[in-house]
Amino acid sequence: MAKATGVKNETETAAPESSVVSETEEVVTTEDTSASVEDAQDIDDILNSLKSLLSALEKLQKVRQDVGDIKPLIGRMLDGEIITGEELEQLKSGVNSLSRLVRAYSDHQTALTKAQAARNLLDQVLKV
């Protein structure tokens, strides 16, 4: 009877040790999973910032084209020349486009700053 109790105690002692090992393995797995989820979120954020930069660049280019022809007229207006007729209408729409240009430029600069993390990612990926 003493032997049976001794075997039982050994079995009881062995069971908690194996559960401790499995708990440790679960913690390691959970940490690895959360790290990979964070990496995936970082990559998604970087890719989204690149998409935003591309969109901001397209808008900036479009507004620059719209405003580009107005620069000489603005120069003439600033020099004090009298502008009449069709040029005056062009100037009015051009001045309104200038505010869009300033906003597009600001959006582009913000997107450019946010997308700088993509450089590191591209360096890492392309080194492989």
Side-chain angles (χ1 to χ4, degrees):
M1 197 160 145
K3 286 184 180 179
T5 306
V7 171
K8 187 175 181 182
N9 286 342
E10 287 176 12
T11 307
E12 289 175 2
T13 305
E17 288 176 13
S18 63
S19 73
V20 169
V21 171
S22 66
E23 287 176 11
T24 305
E25 289 173 0
E26 288 176 13
V27 170
V28 171
T29 305
T30 304
E31 289 174 1
D32 290 343
T33 304
S34 63
S36 65
V37 167
E38 288 175 9
D39 289 343
Q41 288 174 343
D42 288 344
I43 290 171
D44 287 343
D45 290 343
I46 290 170
L47 292 175
N48 287 336
S49 68
L50 283 174
K51 290 176 185 177
S52 296
L53 177 59
L54 181 60
S55 175
L57 181 61
E58 288 174 338
K59 289 176 185 176
L60 180 61
Q61 292 291 343
K62 185 175 186 282
V63 174
R64 275 185 179 166
Q65 287 175 348
D66 293 344
V67 175
D69 296 336
I70 205 70
K71 185 178 177 183
L73 289 175
I74 292 174
R76 288 176 45 202
M77 180 181 71
L78 292 172
D79 290 339
E81 292 183 26
I82 302 290
I83 299 172
T84 59
E86 187 178 314
E87 289 179 332
L88 185 60
E89 292 302 316
Q90 288 177 336
L91 190 57
K92 285 179 183 178
S93 68
V95 169
N96 289 333
S97 296
L98 283 175
S99 63
R100 289 189 336 199
L101 178 62
V102 170
R103 276 186 266 130
Y105 181 78
S106 176
D107 292 346
H108 176 259
Q109 291 301 311
T110 302
L112 187 61
T113 301
K114 288 180 181 179
Q116 289 303 311
R119 285 186 196 267
N120 297 334
L121 178 63
L122 288 173
D123 288 344
Q124 289 175 357
V125 172
L126 295 177
K127 285 182 182 179
V128 174

